Amino acid sequence: MEILKIDHLGIAVNNIEDGKNFWTEVLGLQFEGSETVEAQKVTTAFFPVGESEVELLESTSPDGPVAKFIDKKGTGFQHVAFRVADIEAALEELKEKGIQLIDQKPRIGAGGAKIAFLHPKATGGVLVELCERS
Ligand code: ZN
């Protein structure tokens, strides 16, 4: 597969309003606004960093994936997202290699990107997201 770059780093927070201060006030990153993706029970906020971004994730519901992650592991680093040229081809390649996937097919994430997650069991414990943006 063709990985183009690290698209973003996902960081789980209890509350974006409180959580964003470190990134903006201390590090001086620009807050690009937030977006709620109801299907994934998450509100995301993006902070561009050079060619990549920091993505803060706040759960909109106690049973959402980000809330479950925080219950288990606490707030902090949650996933790394790689930008790929062709997400369908990348997923096919991973299936052929027997890699366990959370998403068998791409779904639509924040910003209209096509995204899919690999299972941390298949990656040595890191939640890996693939994303394709047009
Ligand atoms: Zn992400």
Side-chain angles (χ1 to χ4, degrees):
M1 79 187 71
E2 191 187 349
I3 291 182
L4 304 173
K5 63 175 188 172
I6 292 179
D7 189 83
H8 62 270
L9 301 172
I11 295 168
V13 295
N14 287 318
N15 179 297
I16 284 172
E17 220 23 65
D18 299 339
K20 78 180 176 32
N21 280 334
F22 170 74
W23 307 92
T24 56
E25 303 301 317
V26 180
L27 296 189
L29 301 179
Q30 206 70 35
F31 172 49
E32 270 212 331
S34 58
E35 179 184 346
T36 297
V37 183
E38 271 310 337
Q40 283 146 53
K41 298 180 178 174
V42 72
T43 298
T44 62
F46 281 95
F47 305 82
V49 185
E51 291 241 301
S52 302
E53 295 185 287
V54 167
E55 173 188 43
L56 298 188
L57 305 151
E58 174 188 331
S59 193
T60 60
S61 156
D63 67 347
V66 170
K68 286 182 190 160
F69 177 90
I70 291 174
D71 282 347
K72 252 198 234 167
K73 302 199 168 173
T75 56
F77 177 72
Q78 204 244 2
H79 67 270
V80 56
F82 294 108
R83 174 95 58 102
V84 293
D86 182 340
I87 195 167
E88 278 89 359
L91 290 174
E92 278 315 308
E93 187 181 326
L94 291 167
K95 282 180 207 167
E96 277 165 26
K97 289 178 175 167
I99 299 297
Q100 193 178 349
L101 303 173
I102 292 175
D103 299 301
Q104 304 300 316
K105 284 182 184 169
R107 51 197 164 95
I108 301 301
K114 287 195 221 174
I115 65 168
F117 284 94
L118 281 57
H119 201 287
K121 278 183 190 154
T123 67
V126 180
L127 181 58
V128 173
E129 174 186 344
L130 301 179
C131 84
E132 179 190 328
R133 295 182 198 270
S134 46

